[in-house]
Amino acid sequence: MRNQKTLMWTVMYAVLCVLAAMWIYPIVIAFVESFKVGGAGNYEAVLNHPRFDYWSAIGNSFLLAGGSTVIIVVISSLAGFAFARMRFRGRNFLYRALLACMAIPVASVVTPLFATMNDLGLRDSYVGVIIPLVAFNVLVMLLLMKNHFDGIPAELVEAATIDGARPIGVFTKIFLPLSGPVLANVSVLSFVYCWNEYLLPNLLLSDEGKFPVTAAVALLQYERMSQEQIGQLYAGLILMTIPSVIVYLFSQRYLQSGLTAGAVKS
């Protein structure tokens, strides 16, 4: 029994090491290439680039990712509570239909999405990017929130209902105070997903001054690039990832506790 457990842990850590190597390898290559020709001067060149305004792009990314995160947290928490604790006709069908939408890739709807935002006059605006960012990320967060709310003891809800609490009171006074870790988890994941989004900003924004870092880094590319310009491109990619990595590292403990929230149901 002990040998079997040791073997299981060995296999698990081996798989994790392989996955970690797959994720770290591209970052290491980019970091090495950013110093290969030009050294630290590549980073200075990026920060003082005539077209690529790093700090402006960072601000745009924080605006898009932060605004989207706030909306996602509000919608997913309210919807998660409704699907977990409220009874209404078609609840299960609607929930499964929403989860089925997770299988639709963003790339498959770029044409109608572009046409819709253009018709609404939202193309080349922050709102026009935030709306699809929320739409494509909120369903995963809804799943996390509902699973967590399903794990909250029903006795607490019954006691609050007997005391005369309405659904909104149950949500704000019982569910939210017990949901700190999962709310932090949803916030961090939403922020990182929206920060790393590449397709939507490139599809819906044409004003370079509104580009987030994922779109603005393309301004470092040229048709024919020298080795030094390639090093600057890699430097821009490294600078692009730093804020999201910092957010992830500082919130790692919330992610761990949030992912296990709701895993065991009462």
Side-chain angles (χ1 to χ4, degrees):
M1 184 69 180
R2 187 172 182 178
N3 292 336
Q4 185 178 4
K5 187 175 181 180
T6 302
L7 177 62
M8 181 183 67
W9 280 101
T10 302
V11 172
M12 183 183 70
Y13 277 110
V15 172
L16 291 175
C17 287
V18 172
L19 293 175
M22 293 173 60
W23 281 97
I24 294 174
Y25 178 76
I27 299 176
V28 173
I29 293 299
F31 185 77
V32 172
E33 290 292 334
S34 69
F35 284 96
K36 197 170 185 179
V37 178
N42 290 332
Y43 290 87
E44 183 179 356
V46 170
L47 294 176
N48 296 285
H49 197 274
R51 290 187 64 193
F52 178 71
D53 189 340
Y54 175 73
W55 298 111
S56 176
I58 287 291
N60 294 336
S61 288
F62 271 108
L63 177 61
L64 293 174
S68 300
T69 296
V70 172
I71 298 173
I72 289 172
V73 170
V74 172
I75 293 177
S76 62
S77 59
L78 289 171
F81 172 76
F83 283 116
R85 295 301 182 179
M86 299 182 70
R87 299 291 180 266
F88 53 89
R89 182 175 297 178
R91 182 188 64 160
N92 293 332
F93 173 79
L94 180 58
Y95 180 67
R96 292 189 177 94
L98 288 173
L99 294 187
C101 293
M102 293 170 57
I104 302 176
V106 180
S108 67
V109 295
V110 291
T111 300
L113 177 62
F114 180 87
T116 300
M117 291 302 165
N118 191 49
D119 292 341
L120 294 174
L122 295 177
R123 191 173 66 84
D124 204 25
S125 69
Y126 294 123
V127 175
V129 179
I130 289 176
I131 291 175
L133 279 176
V134 172
F136 285 108
N137 289 287
V138 72
L139 297 178
V140 177
M141 307 309 158
L142 167 61
L143 178 64
L144 293 176
M145 293 302 303
K146 181 182 181 298
N147 286 343
H148 169 71
F149 288 153
D150 283 338
I152 294 178
E155 290 78 7
L156 295 176
V157 180
E158 294 173 358
T161 303
I162 292 174
D163 290 339
R166 296 185 176 182
I168 190 64
V170 174
F171 174 72
T172 56
K173 296 179 180 179
I174 297 179
F175 279 69
L176 284 185
L178 295 174
S179 304
V182 73
L183 287 173
N185 181 43
V186 167
S187 299
V188 174
L189 289 178
S190 299
F191 182 87
V192 173
Y193 290 167
C194 294
W195 180 282
N196 292 334
E197 178 60 42
Y198 174 79
L199 178 59
L200 292 176
N202 278 279
L203 174 70
L204 300 171
L205 295 176
S206 56
D207 184 355
E208 294 179 1
K210 296 179 181 178
F211 281 180
V213 287
T214 51
V217 74
L219 300 177
L220 298 173
Q221 293 179 310
Y222 302 93
E223 185 176 350
R224 295 181 179 179
M225 300 181 66
S226 65
Q227 289 298 319
E228 187 174 358
Q229 289 173 330
I230 293 175
Q232 292 174 11
L233 176 60
Y234 279 112
L237 293 173
I238 293 296
L239 290 173
M240 179 189 76
T241 61
I242 289 176
S244 59
V245 170
I246 292 175
V247 170
Y248 183 85
L249 291 177
F250 276 94
S251 56
Q252 189 174 11
R253 64 190 184 97
Y254 297 109
L255 284 171
Q256 183 177 2
S257 58
L259 287 171
T260 58
V264 180
K265 298 182 181 180
S266 59

